[in-house]
Amino acid sequence: MLDDNLKSQLAAYLDRVKLPFEIVASLDDGQSSRELKELLDEIAPMSPLISLRTDGQDARRPSFSLQRTGTEQSLRFAAIPLGHEFTSLVLALLWTGGHPPKIEQDTIDRVKALDGDYLFEVYMSLSCHNCPDVVQALSLMSVLNPKVKSVVIDGGLFQDEVNAREIMAVPAVFLNGQMFASGRMTVEEIVAKLDSGAATKDAAKLSAKDPFDVLIVGGGPAGAAAAVYAARKGIRTGIAAERFGGQVNDTMAIENYISVLETDGPKFATALEQHVKHYGVDTMNLQRAEKIIPAAQPGGYVELQLANGGSLKSKTIVITTGARWRNVNVPGEEQYKNKGVAYCPHCDGPLFKGKRVAVIGGGNSGVEAAIDLAGLVAHVTLVEFAPELRADAVLIRKLESLPNVVIHKNAQTTELTGDGSKLNGLSYKDRVTGESHHVELEGVFVQIGLVPNTEWLKGTVELSKHGEIVVDARGQTSVPGVFAAGDATTVPFKQIIIAAGDGAKAALSAFDHIIRN
């Protein structure tokens, strides 16, 4: 099951296990159960503190639980956690075995203080790069607090459950049998949803902070670069981000960041955060910016107001809030989001195995999505508004060679249809003939570009007609002391390396502004 290299790495990790625990497997006669038993048979002997039983009675088979001796811990995997979830398995083993997690003590205390009975079920796919964050968050919570129980379920392995609960996007989290949340979440975000007083506490703590010299808003490549360059000047630097890593977290393969031959988005985002923290930057995650109030006088403080009611002050601010997936904005899109309408083919593609799907968009992301999905689903319909596909020629040739793909050009999507509970098709108009057509589908993946996250800045800084922040060659906005960088700005070519370079430039410009004022 595991190759020799992976076995040796796992054995080294499991040397850190300090407390005894049991792995209890619930198996049947199926192939998946045999594969799971093979995996567990390899893991258990790697530590004398781990024992394996195969007499589990859980209704989901195959599955296994991790049970620390002498505790009421309840952590179960209804999955064979390999692929993107292998790290989740390793961490679950380590945490159950007493190895301390790498999170803030304040977060640990909040998890332990949760009072009530919480049964979480998180549905994931092994190819989903957003799922491990949620899986690991809930696994850790169940280790820290016996009142929190979690079950990790592979949607591809338990397709009947996925269909019964009409799950069409992962990660999907149920709490005590009811839908709780979908999409990527951290421990802090989950605790904040459970603890109604968390936002008020956070706001008070943030408002009490001393003013910064440079405050970065946004935690993607531009924000991280700005934070590192500012901190290296020896000045007080803070970074407030709604989601550290930003849209990089939703990127699968990164192969054009110079000196890094190949990586993926989540790994890159983690590296960004580690680099920032290495320089002692005050990192404030899960913070959504709501308003900037310019300095009342030259040399005064700019104020950043946050959605939770808190506020931060700084001599300068660097805005790096990036961009998000663009919506089609047709009837049915909002109604059927996560009910057939999806935006991440890597995450949600496995849920549509053997089904019919469409991809809207003929650029690189759309064509790549169609190629990937063609290997999973029964049929792919690609719908492109323009007369020709805009992707690289090599991708178009690959797409056109696939037997289960149909391409419609000059096609304007007019509606995403459904039965009230889930999507069942896509309507489009032929822009040449004017004729309307309908395609029966189970899923639609939207891949039509980006829109800047700048709505909150209207009336404060100058924005272009496309909503981008207007900046000069130094990253200066129309407001003195407020700079901007990355995909939220008018700088052309939205690329990670360009955003990072602009972030560094904006930070240096902010430092120059401070010493001159």
Side-chain angles (χ1 to χ4, degrees), residues 100-342:
K102 293 182 178 179
I103 63 171
E104 300 292 335
Q105 185 60 46
D106 179 62
T107 303
I108 293 174
D109 293 339
R110 287 188 181 184
V111 173
K112 290 182 175 180
L114 290 173
D115 192 21
D117 295 315
Y118 304 97
L119 172 58
F120 286 100
E121 297 166 292
V122 53
Y123 290 85
M124 56 79 177
S125 71
L126 297 181
S127 60
C128 168
H129 54 278
N130 284 326
C131 292
D133 285 334
V134 184
V135 169
Q136 291 163 25
L138 292 172
S139 297
L140 177 57
M141 289 174 66
S142 66
V143 171
L144 293 174
N145 187 335
K147 294 182 179 180
V148 179
K149 303 178 182 0
S150 67
V151 186
V152 179
I153 305 161
D154 181 356
L157 204 56
F158 292 88
Q159 194 77 43
D160 290 344
E161 283 191 45
V162 167
N163 293 334
R165 282 182 154 171
E166 297 185 345
I167 297 168
M168 295 185 173
V170 290
V173 181
F174 287 74
L175 172 58
N176 297 334
Q178 301 297 315
M179 187 66 184
F180 176 73
S182 62
R184 182 178 181 268
M185 294 184 77
T186 62
V187 176
E188 293 83 358
E189 288 174 292
I190 296 170
V191 172
K193 287 196 71 169
L194 298 175
D195 181 1
S196 58
T200 302
K201 298 172 191 172
D202 284 345
K205 286 174 62 177
L206 291 166
S207 298
K209 289 180 179 288
D210 292 334
F212 294 93
D213 292 309
V214 177
L215 174 64
I216 295 97
V217 187
V228 168
Y229 269 73
R232 284 173 60 88
K233 292 295 185 182
I235 56 180
R236 179 165 163 72
T237 305
I239 182 167
E242 188 169 358
R243 178 174 66 143
F244 214 100
Q247 200 182 29
V248 163
N249 288 291
D250 304 323
T251 303
M252 193 58 189
I254 299 172
E255 298 174 343
N256 57 357
Y257 195 86
I258 307 306
S259 85
V260 179
L261 190 61
E262 182 179 358
T263 185
D264 62 50
K267 286 181 183 176
F268 191 79
T270 299
L272 291 177
E273 187 169 10
Q274 289 173 343
H275 199 171
V276 168
K277 288 183 174 179
H278 175 75
Y279 285 100
V281 174
D282 189 341
T283 304
M284 297 159 280
N285 210 358
L286 310 181
Q287 302 302 329
R288 182 162 58 87
E290 198 161 77
K291 187 177 182 181
I292 283 179
I293 300 177
Q297 56 190 18
Y301 292 118
V302 184
E303 182 180 349
L304 174 70
Q305 294 183 344
L306 302 168
N308 64 5
S311 67
L312 300 165
K313 292 183 178 180
S314 181
K315 293 177 182 177
T316 60
I317 283 181
V318 179
I319 304 168
T320 63
T321 45
R324 62 187 183 276
W325 293 116
R326 186 181 298 277
N327 291 332
V328 192
N329 292 321
V330 297
E333 180 179 21
E334 195 64 35
Q335 181 179 1
Y336 296 112
K337 274 185 180 178
N338 298 327
K339 297 177 183 178
V341 178

Side-chain angles (χ1 to χ4, degrees), residues 402-423:
L402 299 174
N404 62 335
V405 174
V406 168
I407 302 169
H408 296 297
K409 305 171 191 174
N410 264 323
Q412 179 181 354
T413 302
T414 55
E415 185 179 7
L416 303 181
T417 63
D419 60 8
S421 62
K422 61 182 178 180
L423 177 127

Side-chain angles (χ1 to χ4, degrees), residues 8-21 43 46-50 68 87 90-102:
S8 62
Q9 290 182 36
L10 181 56
Y13 281 123
L14 294 183
D15 278 342
R16 303 174 189 179
V17 170
K18 302 173 183 177
L19 301 173
F21 66 90
I43 291 173
M46 293 183 181
S47 170
L49 296 173
I50 302 176
R68 185 188 296 171
T87 299
V90 174
L91 289 172
L93 293 168
L94 289 174
W95 293 333
T96 301
H99 187 70
K102 293 182 178 179

